[in-house]
Amino acid sequence: MKAIPYGLSSYKEIQQKGSYYVDKTQYIPQIETAGSFLFLIRPRRFGKSSLLTMLECYYDIARADEFEALFAGTYIHEHPTPEKNAYLILKFDFSKVDSDIDKVEASFQEYIEGCLFFFCEKYRHLFEDRYISMMETKKTAHGKLEFLLTYIGIKGLKLYLLIDEYDNFANTILSTAGQKPYHKLTHGAGFFRFFFSLLKGATSLTDVGISRMFITGVSPVTMDDVTSGFNI
């Protein structure tokens, strides 16, 4: 009997351990045709994170050699789409950002920078030395991200951006610190609003920096505040 993967959200780990898995790969073709920039809100413990890790495994060009091992026995193994293993994957999980109002901005910046560093390490063979040198001159996480997305667009690379629990720390701040700190975070010159403005700009470039994006969370409130809907 297969074990129930309680508490596991990593699709790869679930498959490697041979745990029980309800096949959701049949939705991959539907997701592709639904749109390029998607937003999924569901309650906690609804399987959003495991869905994102499944998409990560399926679309990542760096995991092409793992397709057989990770998807044997699933719907998508027998019905792969042309976009299989066709993207660079950049993934953020905002539940890892410190929601303490005095630490949140520094924590956010540090987390984004860390994700960008390991992204470049993973796909190092696709980046020129001069790109790495220029990236090191960027002093902020936003500056590094904008530079990365512009470079990817100019080089004609395809990026799939995954954001899990996009509203995690924002919701915590709203519930614990109140409306004023939350408003500072998500309106005007707030760093979180600026982050999403940067992403929006990257989806509308002539040379597209983000080809696909999938965002998950528990509420549309923060998304509406930081983007006025973002057209997703």
Side-chain angles (χ1 to χ4, degrees), residues 90-215:
L90 177 59
K91 184 180 178 184
F92 299 127
D93 177 359
F94 288 161
S95 68
K96 297 180 179 179
V97 175
D98 193 330
S99 57
D100 185 314
I101 191 62
D102 295 321
K103 301 176 182 178
V104 62
E105 183 169 3
S107 178
F108 181 84
Q109 298 285 341
E110 183 177 4
Y111 175 71
I112 296 297
E113 287 195 41
C115 290
L116 295 181
F117 173 82
F118 289 112
F119 174 88
C120 291
E121 286 292 297
K122 183 177 184 180
Y123 301 109
R124 180 65 180 84
H125 62 290
L126 298 174
F127 295 96
E128 301 171 77
D129 290 338
R130 61 175 181 165
Y131 163 83
I132 301 300
S133 298
M134 282 292 294
M135 176 64 92
E136 291 175 350
T137 68
K138 307 300 178 182
K139 302 303 181 183
T140 66
H142 291 93
K144 292 177 187 292
L145 180 59
E146 183 175 25
F147 184 66
L148 169 66
L149 296 178
T150 302
Y151 181 88
I152 286 175
I154 290 174
K155 289 297 181 180
L157 300 171
K158 297 170 64 177
L159 177 74
Y160 203 137
L161 177 62
L162 303 172
I163 303 179
D164 197 13
E165 299 203 42
Y166 90 98
D167 55 348
N168 184 284
F169 66 85
N171 285 341
T172 300
I173 288 172
L174 178 60
S175 63
T176 59
Q179 183 68 36
K180 187 174 180 180
Y182 170 82
H183 191 276
K184 182 179 179 181
L185 179 76
T186 58
H187 291 71
F191 74 87
F192 201 39
R193 183 180 181 87
F194 181 63
F195 172 81
F196 278 98
S197 295
L198 193 157
L199 297 186
K200 184 175 182 179
T203 64
S204 58
L205 294 173
T206 301
D207 298 305
V208 180
I210 301 176
S211 299
R212 286 189 176 274
M213 178 161 51
F214 200 108
I215 302 174

